[in-house]
Structure formats: C-alpha cells, structure tokens
Amino acid sequence: MSTEGRRHDRDRGDHLWVVEEAADVVRPEPRVTLPEDAADTDRWGRSEEVVRRVGPAVDFLYDRWFRTEVEGLDKIPAGGALLVSNHAGALPPDAVQIMWAIRRELDRRVYMMGEHVFGRLPVAGWMFRRIGGVEADPSTARKLLGEEGQLGLVFPEGTKGTGKHWSERYRLQRFGRGGFVRVAMDAGVPIVPVAVLGAEEAMPIFGRLDGLAGMLGLPYVPVTSMVWLPVKFRIRVLDPIDVHLGHSDDHTQQMVSEDVRAVIQRTLIDLLAQRRSVIWG
Amino acid sequence: MADVVLTDPDMGVGALVVDALQRLGIEIARSDAPAPAGQSAAAEVWLERLDEARTGGLVVNHCRLRAGGLSRRSLEMAERVLAAASRCETLHRVVVVSSGQVYGSGAELPTFVTEGHAPTERPGASATDIADLESAAARFAAARPDVSLTVLRVAETVGTAPHGLLADHVLQPGGFVTTRFGYDPQVQFVTAHAVAAAIVHALTEDVAGVYNFAPADAMPLSAAIRLVGRTRVPMLRTVSLVGGILRRMEPWSHELGELLTFGRALDPQRAVDAGFPEPSSAAAAIAAAVY
C-alpha cells in the first residue's frame, strides 16, 4: 500500500492531500502480546469470572431456597429484547432469579438496567456491574439491545416497588412515565413482560424509618425480616409486545406502559390464585 | 512554504504527526518556531506569513493534560492560533485535539458517552481548559464556515508522553497506584500512534464535526494497573463529615478522584462511521505503554 501523499490542485479537488490509509503513514505502535487474563470483563464491565464464582450461591438460592419455577422462556426472542418485570422485597431477589433462569435454560446473558444511583455505591456498585448491571440510558440500550442483540431487564416500579409496605403486596406501583417504552422503541426491540411471584414475601417490609432514610440519603430504611424467607418463586414470561411502531410521542409511550403494567398485574393475580402455600407453592 | 501548521509538535502525538506528514511529503510549520528576519514569534505574525505561503491545514495539538489543566502556554497558543487562523484565507482543514475530559466523570454518565452528551456541569481545571479550547474552536467555526473543522475528543492517551489525568496517574513512576476503595470503574486508553493516525485522517479526508476517538471497548481500572505491572493501593473515599479536611490530604485532584471512582468511556461509533482508523483495544494500548 502506498504511503506517498499527493497534493491536489486546491482549485479543482476536494482533497488537499490523498492518503490511502492514515494508519499506515504513522510509525507503527509497539505490538504486545496480552496475557489471557488481561481483562476478564466485556465492554460493559460484566465479568463471566465473577458470575461463575457467585454461581454456587445463586444455584443454592434458585434450586433449594426459593425452588424457582419458570414458564414461557420460549417466548423470549432470539435477538435483543427488553424484559420488564414487577419488583418487590426490601432486598429484592427477583432480578437474580430471572437472570439465573435465563442463563441456565437459554444460556443467554441478561443485563440489568438500573438507576444511576448504583454506580455511586462502593462495592455494591462494583458488584452490580460485574454481574451484568448497566445504567438504564437510551444510548446504552441502543447499543446493548439494538446492536448487540442482548437481553436487558428493567423494573419500572423502581424503589416504589421494593419499598412498599406488606399491606400493598401484589399491587404493582406506578410505572413512572414509561421511560422503558422509549428505551425499547429507540433500541428497536420488543418488550417482554415478566411476572414474578415470591419476591413480595421473600423480605417483606412491615414498616419504614423515613426519618433515618432521609438522614442517610437512602430511598428507604425498612423494618424487615433481615434475611430472605424460603418462599416459593414462580416466574412467568409473557408474550412479547412489539413497540417498533414508529410512534414515539409521550401519549403512545404512556399507553404502552400502562398495557405492560396491566398484563403483569393480571398475571400476578393469576399466579396468586393458583398458589396454595407461600412456602410450598 | 508550509502546507500544515502544527502546535506543540515536539512531544508524543505532535512528534508522530510531524513524522507522518514529513513522510507524506507534506511540509510542516511549527507555530512556535522563531520567525525569520528577527520578527516576533507570536502566532499571529507567524500565521500571516503562512497565509502568504498558502497554508492548507492546521493542527491544534496540546502536549499534556495534567491535574491543573492544560499548560498555560498550550492553551494560550491554541486560542491565539485559532483566532489568527480565522483570517488565513488559504486554510481548508483544521483539526483540534480535544479530550474526553470535557464530559467529566460521574455516576450519571452512560457506560459509553456519545458526542451529544453535554459537557460536565461540575468542571475541574482540566475540563474547564478543554471547554475553553472547544469554545475557541467554535468561534473559529462561526468565523470560517468554509473551513472543514474536526474536533477530536480523545480518550486517555498513552505513549512517549502520557496525555490525560488517568494515564498520568496509572503510569506514574513507582510500583504503586492509589485507587478508591470499593470502586473499579471502566476506563479506556489509546496510544499516541492511534491519535496521530486519526489526525492524519482528519487532515486528509473531509470529516468535519466532533468525534470521540477511543477504542470500541473499555476495561476495568484494576486490569489496566495490573497490565502495567503496578500494585493497586485502595484508599477509602472521604465522607462528608470530615471530607473537607481529609479531601485536602488526598493524593488526587477532584477530577482524578472522580475518574478513579466512576471512570469514563467514550463511544467511538461516529468516528468509526467516518472512516477514522480504529485504534487497538484499551488493554493493548495500556500494555503498549510499558512495552
């Protein structure tokens, strides 16, 4: 490949100088052989090594403690999708149960799309990213879900869901302004609603110390069981909703958001009706 | 007669660009070279002479971004050269080497920051200087819409002269690198060679606009420190009650502290789409720095 520059007549050509490949005219950089463990994370910071290390503990929770049953995994599309689920429990175990079910049954990664606040937390923020946590940002969703074809998981209720009182169990909270619909639309991927039963009782909130929460700058400080109770978990994956409609106005966004919330709420009631025991399912 | 004017041509990226352009047969003028006939070496005078010489391209490079910001000389020279260049009629291409530091660092940044992201609202010394540099570039663009202006926001640059707060910190002499306890952010590095190739591309192709220039991937800071053979020394983040006193004792500037806590990675997709040469991975870049 020629590295000779050629000057064009400025009055006639668009180019001042013609170079076939800019990288070829700069002195080459040192070539290095990287050790195999140079970086054990993907570009989003997820570490397969960390996931593998926590695997035995999660296996125990999934198989023995919560005895998780999952149905409808075949409804998850082969490409990118945004999983949308209900969220509950003072320290909610639902995300890990969903992620683990999909990892074990479909051998696919799930990236949990959380609030930016996770990144501020020492240790927990680090752990969140290493097991597949990313911020719920439109540009991140476009790349991760739209271009890479990965699965994202969001909980639109946020801390309103996890911080709700025991008396409000099985009642889904507001889905905010439906920002997750915009995220899916921007990424061009379907929304897959997921209903989870069990998180409500795994670590119930019997009271909240709002004054202390305010002092500590936390969303809530719960009066709770402090440990996960061994309740039966049931996960049902529902039919995907195609939101690649071309309509991105706020009204459409809100309508789709309400539809998704309603279908998860109905399914949660349905799962509840089928359940005979909180512990045994 | 000069084809291209280059500021800060002696170190790192600048030296590589000079070498590459000379190999292409493109004549280089240094904005800091002594002007002939005993005249002042002020950029304005120099550029007036270059206008007579029908200068085609200008690269506004700056050799180092440190904790205290750009060197005064670099920033002043960049601003004066850009102001003077707006009167240089033969100019066709201008490349301004900026930095991803303009976005700052924080938990609110997405994993990969795109060019549409607003500059940080809490700028430290470096981000302020970079914003000033880009403001000068914007003034030039307004004055000379006929000139193709490319602004390259480069990732932390490593090579013969590390360029960037984090690159400086990770590659500092000695076996230890201080980090924040409990944090291991995603970071990126590019080599000076890759940045030089991007500058040559911007000079030789019509790629006006603002571009992030960075590898497609990012890596944990801990892995970068391991690759350069240093040992991490995690330090507790100061809390607000005693922060005022303890922060003064921290071995970092505010901006470097934020980088060590939250990191930053740039989304290079727009540069890739514009045909810029793709740099090697973040890991390969930082490893090459100690080769």
Side-chain angles (χ1 to χ4, degrees), chain A residues 3 5 7 10 14-15 17 19 22 25 27 29-30 37-38 41 43 45 116 119-120 122-123 126 129-130 135 143, chain B residues 3 19-20 23-24 26 54 93 107-108 111-112 182-184 186 191 193 197 204 216 220 223 226 267 280 291:
Chain A
T3 57
R7 187 168 169 175
R10 288 191 180 113
D14 290 327
H15 294 72
W17 309 277
V19 177
V25 299
R27 287 194 188 281
E29 58 191 57
D37 62 346
T41 60
R43 64 197 299 244
H116 289 292
R120 294 200 185 95
V123 185
W126 168 84
R129 192 167 279 281
R130 291 292 174 269
E135 68 291 330
K143 279 199 161 301
Chain B
D3 280 338
D19 178 67
R23 289 164 72 190
L24 287 166
I26 297 172
R54 296 177 62 79
R93 300 266 162 79
E108 72 284 358
T111 309
F112 291 95
Y183 295 91
D184 189 12
Q186 295 290 99
T191 61
H193 297 73
T204 53
R226 199 168 61 235
D267 182 349
S280 50
Y291 178 76

Side-chain angles (χ1 to χ4, degrees), chain A residues 2-7 9-47 115-127 129-130 133-144 147-148 215, chain B residues 1-4 16 19-21 23-26 53-57 90 92-93 107-112 114 117 181-186 191-194 196-198 200-201 203-206 216-224 226-227 237 261-262 267-269 275 277 280-281 283-285 287-289 291:
Chain A
S2 166
T3 57
E4 288 296 310
R6 184 159 51 87
R7 187 168 169 175
D9 184 335
R10 288 191 180 113
D11 297 330
R12 289 189 295 134
D14 290 327
H15 294 72
L16 296 175
W17 309 277
V18 175
V19 177
E20 290 189 18
E21 193 65 60
D24 290 346
V25 299
V26 176
R27 287 194 188 281
E29 58 191 57
R31 291 280 166 212
V32 294
T33 306
L34 293 172
E36 284 186 9
D37 62 346
D40 67 346
T41 60
D42 66 12
R43 64 197 299 244
W44 303 101
R46 181 187 184 279
S47 167
E115 296 180 36
H116 289 292
V117 68
F118 281 106
R120 294 200 185 95
L121 305 173
V123 185
W126 168 84
M127 194 65 187
R129 192 167 279 281
R130 291 292 174 269
V134 293
E135 68 291 330
D137 180 87
S139 66
T140 300
R142 265 195 300 278
K143 279 199 161 301
L144 187 64
E147 294 171 20
E148 294 186 13
M215 284 170 60
Chain B
M1 296 299 111
D3 280 338
V4 171
L16 288 163
D19 178 67
L21 295 182
R23 289 164 72 190
L24 287 166
I26 297 172
R54 296 177 62 79
T55 298
T90 56
H92 280 58
R93 300 266 162 79
E108 72 284 358
L109 284 186
T111 309
F112 291 95
T114 58
H117 203 283
F181 175 81
Y183 295 91
D184 189 12
Q186 295 290 99
T191 61
H193 297 73
V200 172
H201 179 81
L203 273 175
T204 53
E205 299 291 333
D206 190 6
D217 65 346
M219 66 187 304
L221 176 61
S222 60
R226 199 168 61 235
L227 269 178
R237 189 179 191 190
T261 309
F262 304 114
D267 182 349
Q269 192 58 48
S280 50
S281 69
Y291 178 76

Side-chain angles (χ1 to χ4, degrees), chain A residues 141-158:
Chain A
R142 265 195 300 278
K143 279 199 161 301
L144 187 64
L145 312 182
E147 294 171 20
E148 294 186 13
Q150 303 280 6
L151 298 173
L153 170 63
V154 292
F155 298 102
E157 293 171 275

Side-chain angles (χ1 to χ4, degrees), chain A residues 8 11 28 38 40 55 118 191 197 200 216 226:
Chain A
H8 276 201
D11 297 330
D40 67 346
F118 281 106
I191 288 172
L197 181 65
E200 314 269 354
L216 297 173
M226 302 298 284

